Amino acid sequence: MDTSYLLINALLYFFLPLWGIAGFVDWCCHRATKIESTSGIKETIMHSIMGIQMGIPIVLCLIFDVNALILIICFLTWILHEVVAHMDVHYASPRRKISIWEMHAHTYLGSLPLYMLTSIVLINWDHFVKLITMDLTGEMTFRLLENPHGTPSYLPAYLTFMSIVCIFPYMEENIRCIYTHFREKKT
């Protein structure tokens, strides 16, 4: 069996769902520590930024053929995610308790993107070589995948799953923090 096929399936059916579950556990920890009353709106905005930073390359890799352009976007968003993750913990730690569960969730949220990025590079090694050798001819375009990864229903199923475990919970966190912020400003 082709190693690329195995890595793609590990990404689709293990790493991507696990990243979503870790995000949900993290959200549960934020809710338990009443983020809206402690670190508030600034921290929840950082969480949304980090979700978007990882969501962009995930969706791009699920929709388009990975080439040098997609790899550049993946590398840039991963670096920016790491910067914001550091800022997040630095900001939150003196303002609220970060439980052992939340630290454990952060371990997954920080390491899984690197594992996924490494797997994407290995699967698309020829494009990575073109990127590092600056042989970018034909590499800087978005080309839709001819055959989607997984089953034809994978992308809608994954986006639904992520909406349930991450997007909706973090939207709720944003609304809760914004509401509390403005309620406290009035008093």
Side-chain angles (χ1 to χ4, degrees), residues 26 29-30 35 38-40 42-47 50 53 80-99 101-111 170:
D26 195 41
C29 293
H30 301 161
I35 188 176
T38 54
S39 53
K42 289 181 183 176
E43 186 182 6
T44 195
I45 288 171
M46 285 187 262
H47 297 156
M50 287 186 287
Q53 287 170 326
L80 291 171
H81 178 268
E82 291 301 304
V83 169
V84 176
H86 176 80
M87 292 169 47
D88 171 40
V89 174
H90 179 76
Y91 178 79
S93 60
R95 290 170 175 79
R96 67 177 180 84
K97 180 180 178 359
I98 299 177
S99 71
W101 287 103
E102 187 171 355
M103 285 187 248
H104 199 60
H106 288 177
T107 300
Y108 285 91
L109 291 169
S111 59
Y170 281 93

Side-chain angles (χ1 to χ4, degrees), residues 24-41:
F24 181 75
V25 169
D26 195 41
W27 172 81
C28 291
C29 293
H30 301 161
R31 191 158 175 80
T33 59
K34 301 194 182 308
I35 188 176
E36 69 275 10
S37 301
T38 54
S39 53
I41 197 167

Side-chain angles (χ1 to χ4, degrees), residues 16 20 25 50 65 72-73 85-86 113 124 152 157 167 170 181 183:
L16 286 173
V25 169
M50 287 186 287
D65 281 321
I72 289 168
I73 294 168
H86 176 80
N124 299 283
I167 295 171
Y170 281 93
H181 173 78
R183 189 182 73 221

Side-chain angles (χ1 to χ4, degrees), residues 9-177:
N9 282 310
L11 284 166
L12 296 176
Y13 299 106
F14 182 69
F15 291 118
L16 286 173
L18 185 58
W19 185 72
I21 292 166
F24 181 75
V25 169
D26 195 41
W27 172 81
C28 291
C29 293
H30 301 161
R31 191 158 175 80
T33 59
K34 301 194 182 308
I35 188 176
E36 69 275 10
S37 301
T38 54
S39 53
I41 197 167
K42 289 181 183 176
E43 186 182 6
T44 195
I45 288 171
M46 285 187 262
H47 297 156
S48 295
I49 290 169
M50 287 186 287
I52 292 166
Q53 287 170 326
M54 288 294 94
I56 289 169
I58 288 170
V59 170
L60 289 176
C61 289
L62 290 173
I63 294 175
F64 296 105
D65 281 321
V66 174
N67 58 19
L69 176 60
I70 301 288
L71 289 173
I72 289 168
I73 294 168
C74 290
F75 285 121
L76 289 175
T77 55
W78 176 74
I79 291 166
L80 291 171
H81 178 268
E82 291 301 304
V83 169
V84 176
H86 176 80
M87 292 169 47
D88 171 40
V89 174
H90 179 76
Y91 178 79
S93 60
R95 290 170 175 79
R96 67 177 180 84
K97 180 180 178 359
I98 299 177
S99 71
I100 191 69
W101 287 103
E102 187 171 355
M103 285 187 248
H104 199 60
H106 288 177
T107 300
Y108 285 91
L109 291 169
S111 59
L112 282 171
L114 179 59
Y115 301 154
M116 290 187 285
L117 179 57
T118 302
S119 296
I120 290 165
V121 166
L122 293 174
I123 293 164
N124 299 283
W125 188 254
D126 293 342
H127 296 287
F128 178 69
V129 170
K130 288 182 177 187
L131 173 62
I132 61 174
T133 60
M134 301 302 283
D135 178 13
L136 302 178
T137 305
E139 290 289 311
M140 302 304 283
T141 61
F142 291 106
R143 288 184 307 270
L144 288 172
L145 282 170
E146 288 181 26
N147 298 311
H149 297 299
T151 64
S153 62
Y154 178 82
L155 184 60
Y158 180 70
L159 294 176
T160 300
F161 169 77
M162 288 303 289
S163 294
I164 292 167
V165 299
C166 287
I167 295 171
F168 295 146
Y170 281 93
M171 285 174 63
E172 183 275 337
E173 178 178 289
N174 284 324
I175 292 166
R176 190 166 23 99
C177 289

